[in-house]
């Protein structure tokens, strides 16, 4: 699987130092029993080794988007053979200077810039059954006709610990995984309640008002992709336009 890694503690020595460090920190976060990570399905996926990993470059460099496209395309080919709790975990090689000075808003711009620029690598038209307007409750991110829920974590998230990681990180979950989970409505409802309970103790910030369920009239998926450290939100989704005038030192 080009650009992808399936975790095995015996093979971690093959990784670069920063890759191994990020994977170990992620593993510690997902296996912490004293302070359990709120997203229970993600924890299950981790325990069952159904998470697939990719390590890509500096998020400020345009070449990194090409790496992201390779990783996502490769993951699409194998995802359905992995299990019902699979996700693609993408770790960016985030330099120390960036960790020190980038705000959540600057990471947010990078996140949307990367999603926008993925368009250049997508060989397929937008799926006919998904609205093209992000302000429609049924809109979600699509790539090569596959639908995904996106999650972004950054070093700048200090109060919303559920969105904090040592480097910029994405968790990309196929829509079909979420649909399988929601098939058992009573079980899914109970898990969602547990997730909210965990969020209250895990985050020092209050539960973000944008957290909601796909398809509901007052839900907009894009608002949940990048939750700010406070309770504010972007008023418009920037996905369908390349963000201009962004200058970063590389």
């Amino acid at each position: 699987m080009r650009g992808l890694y399936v975790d095995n503690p015996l093979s971690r020595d093959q990784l670069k130092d920063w890759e191994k460090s990020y994977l170990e920190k992620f593993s510690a976060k997902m296996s912490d029993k004293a302070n359990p990570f709120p997203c229970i399905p993600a924890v299950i996926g981790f325990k069952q080794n159904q998470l697939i990993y990719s390590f890509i470059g500096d998020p400020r460099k345009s070449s990194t988007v090409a790496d992201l496209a390779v990783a996502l395309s490769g993951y699409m080919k194998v995802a359905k053979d992995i299990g019902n709790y699979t996700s693609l975990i993408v770790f960016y090689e985030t330099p120390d200077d960036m960790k020190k000075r980038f705000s959540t808003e600057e990471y947010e711009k990078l996140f949307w810039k990367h999603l926008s620029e993925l368009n250049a690598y997508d060989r397929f038209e937008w799926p006919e059954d998904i609205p093209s307007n992000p302000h429609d409750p049924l809109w979600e991110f699509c790539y090569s006709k596959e639908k995904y829920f996106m999650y972004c974590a950054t070093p700048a998230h200090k109060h919303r610990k559920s969105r904090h990681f040592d480097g910029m990180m994405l968790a990309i979950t196929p829509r079909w995984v979420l649909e399988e989970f929601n098939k058992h409505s009573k079980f899914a409802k109970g898990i969602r309640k547990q997730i909210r309970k965990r969020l209250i103790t895990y985050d020092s910030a209050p539960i973000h008002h944008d957290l909601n369920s796909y398809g509901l009239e007052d839900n907009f998926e894009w608002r949940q992709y990048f939750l700010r450290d406070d309770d504010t939100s972007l008023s418009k989704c920037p996905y369908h336009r390349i963000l201009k005038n962004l200058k970063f030192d590389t």
Side-chain angles (χ1 to χ4, degrees):
M1 295 185 292
R2 184 187 170 195
L4 303 179
Y5 174 80
V6 179
D7 190 30
N8 181 340
L10 298 178
S11 65
R12 288 185 183 178
D13 287 340
Q14 302 172 9
L15 300 174
K16 298 177 182 177
D17 288 345
W18 77 267
E19 296 173 345
K20 186 177 180 181
S21 174
Y22 278 18
L23 185 58
E24 288 175 346
K25 288 176 180 178
F26 179 80
S27 298
K29 191 180 187 79
M30 301 303 288
S31 57
D32 189 346
K33 294 181 179 179
N35 189 27
F37 187 70
C39 185
I40 296 170
V43 173
I44 295 173
F46 171 78
K47 288 181 177 179
Q48 296 185 0
N49 206 25
Q50 293 185 18
L51 303 184
I52 303 298
Y53 304 91
S54 183
F55 304 92
I56 62 178
D58 187 328
R60 297 169 295 185
K61 295 182 178 180
S62 57
S63 59
T64 301
V65 180
D67 297 334
L68 178 59
V70 169
L72 186 51
S73 296
Y75 175 69
M76 287 172 54
K77 296 176 182 178
V78 300
K80 290 189 176 179
D81 296 324
I82 297 170
N84 289 339
Y85 288 93
T86 185
S87 290
L88 172 64
I89 308 299
V90 180
F91 297 116
Y92 290 83
E93 186 175 11
T94 311
D96 287 340
D97 69 301
M98 188 175 172
K99 294 178 187 179
K100 291 176 182 177
R101 65 183 180 86
F102 260 51
S103 65
T104 51
E105 287 76 15
E106 288 174 298
Y107 279 110
E108 187 173 25
K109 287 180 180 179
L110 273 178
F111 169 74
W112 287 110
K113 183 174 185 284
H114 282 205
L115 289 198
S116 297
E117 292 183 356
L118 273 176
N119 281 329
Y121 299 93
D122 194 343
R123 298 179 293 108
F124 297 93
E125 296 294 326
W126 193 259
E128 293 182 0
D129 59 329
I130 298 298
S132 58
N133 179 7
H135 295 276
D136 187 302
L138 294 180
W139 182 91
E140 57 189 325
F141 175 73
C142 299
Y143 186 80
S144 294
K145 294 188 176 182
E146 198 68 59
K147 305 153 195 172
Y148 294 100
F149 180 83
M150 310 293 291
Y151 159 105
C152 185
T154 79
H157 283 84
K158 303 300 182 185
H159 304 292
R160 202 170 298 284
K161 294 293 186 181
S162 56
R163 294 287 176 136
H164 175 84
F165 191 66
D166 193 53
M168 186 172 172
M169 186 198 95
L170 302 181
I172 305 175
T173 305
R175 171 56 52 187
W176 62 263
V177 169
L178 303 177
E179 290 173 345
E180 283 293 326
F181 173 75
N182 286 314
K183 275 184 179 179
H184 308 286
S185 57
K186 187 175 181 180
F187 170 75
K189 185 177 180 180
I191 292 294
R192 283 194 290 270
K193 285 184 178 179
Q194 289 300 314
I195 290 173
R196 286 188 168 264
K197 285 182 180 180
R198 286 189 179 188
L199 280 171
I200 292 171
T201 57
Y202 201 85
D203 292 346
S204 56
I207 294 177
H208 203 287
H209 63 84
D210 284 330
L211 282 180
N212 211 331
S213 298
Y214 178 72
L216 294 182
E217 189 174 331
D218 60 345
N219 176 69
F220 301 102
E221 288 289 277
W222 67 270
R223 290 184 180 273
Q224 302 179 68
Y225 291 178
F226 191 106
L227 296 180
R228 294 184 174 186
D229 219 20
D230 54 24
D231 204 33
T232 61
S233 304
L234 286 172
S235 60
K236 293 183 179 181
C237 178
Y239 173 70
H240 287 297
R241 59 183 175 83
I242 301 297
L243 298 178
K244 297 180 180 180
N245 302 320
L246 294 177
K247 295 182 180 180
F248 302 108
D249 295 328
T250 59

